[in-house]
Amino acid sequence: MSVAIVRSLSTLRSVVTRWKRAGETVAVVPTMGALHAGHLSLVRTGRKLADRLVVTLFVNPKQFNNPDDLANYPRTENDDAVKLGPLGVDVLYAPDATTMYPEGFATTVSVTGVSEGLCGAHRPGHFDGVATVVTKLLMQTGADIALFGEKDFQQLHVIRRLVRDLDIPVEIRTCPTVREPDGLALSSRNARLTDEQRKTANALAQILYASANRLTAGEETSAVLPGARAALLKAGFASVEYLELRAENDLRPLERADVLSRLLAAVWLNDVRLIDNMPVQPST
Ligand code: AMP
């Protein structure tokens, strides 16, 4: 049995109001659909944390800086609803673009600082789009808890910042990245990889993992990252957009892992862009 789909904001609001009047807590998992086991881990965690669970499905045009990426983004709503059926999801909120951005919509939520560099430097407007839609989804659902994946690590920082700055009464919870057995981080965009590209793609996680180990052992980024970049190109990636060590708590750039850190990368395989990140334990 698939989950009940709600498309209108007024229906969503009346359902959530009923729950809240009964004293129930609400969790939300925002997604762009094409659900995979990474999304489902957020859903399973959310199920345990609140009385009610809303999953949102909206392919947000404002966060796509590349029109081809938006056009090619996988859309599998019926399958998504079926996957959510057995997981105890109360509502799948799947608004259309005019519900989210009606005629005359003119507001942008823009987070500075943590949104700069990394993906922010290469995808102009992307984090404004993310911040705007996430703010709306949090206000629309009135959720007490919202769940996001570490897979999109910079996004997580942007969301934490906007929730604090705008006093949105929601607790942000995170889930670790779910991976294929060979290490590739699950992503809706993986569906666009050819068989050959899929074989190349696993090198990203492997090279990040090996580099993270060297950084934990105390080597500096200048000794580790140029070789890792070369290894990514040799493995078959067309280009490396960024490969950087940042502090886990505030994303400041680091030369060595003297605090808990993250190694973050974005690479291209033909026209498919993959991102990944790994925790780097502090070197002692
Ligand atoms: P998306 O549909 O790509 O916007 O992702 C929706 C949510 O799922 C975001 O919070 C992502 O960080 C999270 N997510 C995406 N891929 C994974 C993964 N492989 N493991 C865990 N969470 C993920």
Side-chain angles (χ1 to χ4, degrees), residues 29-42 56-59 63-64 73 130 147-153 155-156 159 173-180 184-190 275-276:
V29 176
T31 81
M32 296 203 299
L35 300 182
H36 52 61
H39 298 113
L40 301 186
S41 80
L42 296 173
T56 71
L57 192 177
F58 180 60
V59 181
Q63 72 187 70
F64 285 80
Y73 201 83
V130 169
L147 296 102
F148 296 90
E150 287 183 5
K151 158 90 189 329
D152 299 277
F153 197 73
Q155 168 175 289
L156 206 50
I159 291 165
R173 300 287 284 251
T174 66
C175 289
T177 302
V178 176
R179 297 175 181 281
E180 300 281 5
L184 177 66
L186 297 187
S187 163
S188 306
R189 288 187 179 86
N190 293 354
I275 61 169
D276 199 354

Side-chain angles (χ1 to χ4, degrees), residues 9 58 62 96-107 136 140:
L9 177 55
F58 180 60
K62 288 194 186 293
D96 60 24
T98 50
T99 299
M100 292 303 277
Y101 304 119
E103 182 72 27
F105 186 88
T107 300
K136 283 182 67 84
Q140 291 181 341

Side-chain angles (χ1 to χ4, degrees), residues 1-278:
M1 214 185 61
S2 67
V3 65
I5 300 181
V6 167
R7 298 203 190 273
S8 91
L9 177 55
S10 58
T11 307
L12 178 73
R13 283 240 161 93
S14 63
V15 169
V16 172
T17 303
R18 197 167 3 100
W19 294 339
K20 294 218 159 177
R21 285 207 183 116
E24 293 177 318
T25 55
V26 180
V28 64
V29 176
T31 81
M32 296 203 299
L35 300 182
H36 52 61
H39 298 113
L40 301 186
S41 80
L42 296 173
V43 171
R44 288 197 183 89
T45 306
R47 181 60 289 166
K48 292 185 211 138
L49 294 176
D51 301 314
R52 297 290 183 170
L53 179 58
V54 177
V55 174
T56 71
L57 192 177
F58 180 60
V59 181
N60 174 31
K62 288 194 186 293
Q63 72 187 70
F64 285 80
N65 54 306
N66 174 345
D68 288 344
D69 191 24
L70 175 60
N72 291 326
Y73 201 83
R75 288 165 173 86
T76 59
E77 185 182 288
N78 290 343
D79 290 353
D80 293 344
V82 170
K83 283 182 190 163
L84 295 173
L87 300 184
V89 175
D90 293 283
V91 160
L92 176 60
Y93 175 53
D96 60 24
T98 50
T99 299
M100 292 303 277
Y101 304 119
E103 182 72 27
F105 186 88
T107 300
T108 299
V109 179
S110 191
V111 176
T112 58
V114 288
S115 66
E116 290 155 21
L118 304 171
C119 291
H122 297 274
R123 301 188 67 189
H126 169 66
F127 284 123
D128 283 0
V130 169
T132 304
V133 81
V134 169
T135 302
K136 283 182 67 84
L137 291 169
L138 295 177
M139 310 296 255
Q140 291 181 341
T141 58
D144 303 288
I145 297 174
L147 296 102
F148 296 90
E150 287 183 5
K151 158 90 189 329
D152 299 277
F153 197 73
Q154 188 178 17
Q155 168 175 289
L156 206 50
H157 275 270
V158 169
I159 291 165
R160 283 192 193 286
R161 187 74 258 167
L162 78 85
V163 163
R164 267 186 239 132
D165 290 353
L166 300 179
D167 306 310
I168 302 177
V170 65
E171 182 189 342
I172 302 299
R173 300 287 284 251
T174 66
C175 289
T177 302
V178 176
R179 297 175 181 281
E180 300 281 5
D182 66 3
L184 177 66
L186 297 187
S187 163
S188 306
R189 288 187 179 86
N190 293 354
R192 294 183 48 213
L193 298 172
T194 63
D195 289 351
E196 197 171 329
Q197 289 168 343
R198 172 65 190 82
K199 282 187 205 136
T200 303
N202 67 9
L204 174 58
Q206 287 162 10
I207 291 168
L208 283 181
Y209 185 69
S211 305
N213 281 341
R214 288 179 58 188
L215 292 162
T216 294
E219 288 189 66
E220 297 213 344
T221 52
S222 55
V224 175
L225 298 188
R229 216 170 234 281
L232 286 164
L233 297 175
K234 187 153 179 255
F237 293 103
S239 63
V240 179
E241 205 175 80
Y242 64 77
L243 173 64
E244 292 188 40
L245 184 69
R246 298 288 186 109
E248 172 97 6
N249 66 347
D250 62 3
L251 291 185
R252 70 184 182 283
L254 296 173
E255 277 164 26
R256 69 186 73 74
D258 37 23
V259 292
L260 181 60
S261 328
R262 282 269 157 177
L263 184 59
L264 304 107
V267 296
W268 285 89
L269 257 178
N270 278 5
D271 60 342
V272 183
R273 181 177 181 273
L274 300 178
I275 61 169
D276 199 354
N277 68 83
M278 295 217 177

